[in-house]
Amino acid sequence: MIIRWEKDQDYYLVYVHQDMFGDWLVTRAWGLTGTQYGGLKHTLVGSPEEAAVLVDDVRHIQESRGFRKVLEARQANEIPTDLRDTMQGEIPFQPKS
């Protein structure tokens, strides 16, 4: 699952996925839209349900800071092309098309 929030030129992105060992990760990236400036944090969680709780906490925090959700996709190929192009320089992983 990929969720993105934006406010002015700032973005906050959450990516819920499994690594090559089958462990669940919540990857969070944030920064200035269209640049590589920002931060990155990986959090290991025990299950998709635990990931959902963490994502809900992030949603609450970002909305309280004035961010608005602009994307929620189950898979990277669901991301609109124009937004995917913008995200290429922002996220540390290459979504599969």
Side-chain angles (χ1 to χ4, degrees):
M1 176 187 322
I2 301 167
I3 304 172
R4 178 185 172 97
W5 294 268
E6 292 180 354
K7 178 176 92 170
D8 302 323
Q9 292 298 313
D10 296 325
Y11 72 91
Y12 198 96
L13 182 108
V14 174
Y15 178 44
V16 178
H17 57 106
Q18 283 185 287
D19 65 11
M20 61 191 237
F21 303 107
D23 295 325
W24 284 94
L25 292 167
V26 177
T27 299
R28 294 177 270 178
W30 59 89
L32 186 61
T33 301
T35 71
Q36 293 183 1
Y37 298 113
L40 176 68
K41 182 175 184 175
H42 299 284
T43 304
L44 183 65
V45 293
S47 67
E49 294 78 21
E50 190 177 331
V53 170
L54 180 56
V55 169
D56 191 55
D57 289 346
V58 168
R59 177 201 56 78
H60 178 76
I61 291 167
Q62 296 314 311
E63 288 176 357
S64 73
R65 292 178 177 167
F67 281 75
R68 69 190 192 308
K69 184 166 52 171
V70 296
L71 171 71
E72 183 167 348
R74 291 279 172 205
Q75 297 181 17
N77 62 1
E78 296 175 7
I79 300 171
T81 305
D82 58 333
L83 188 53
R84 188 179 315 138
D85 291 344
T86 300
M87 292 168 60
Q88 291 295 332
E90 299 171 354
I91 52 180
F93 56 88
Q94 192 74 1
K96 297 176 186 170
S97 297

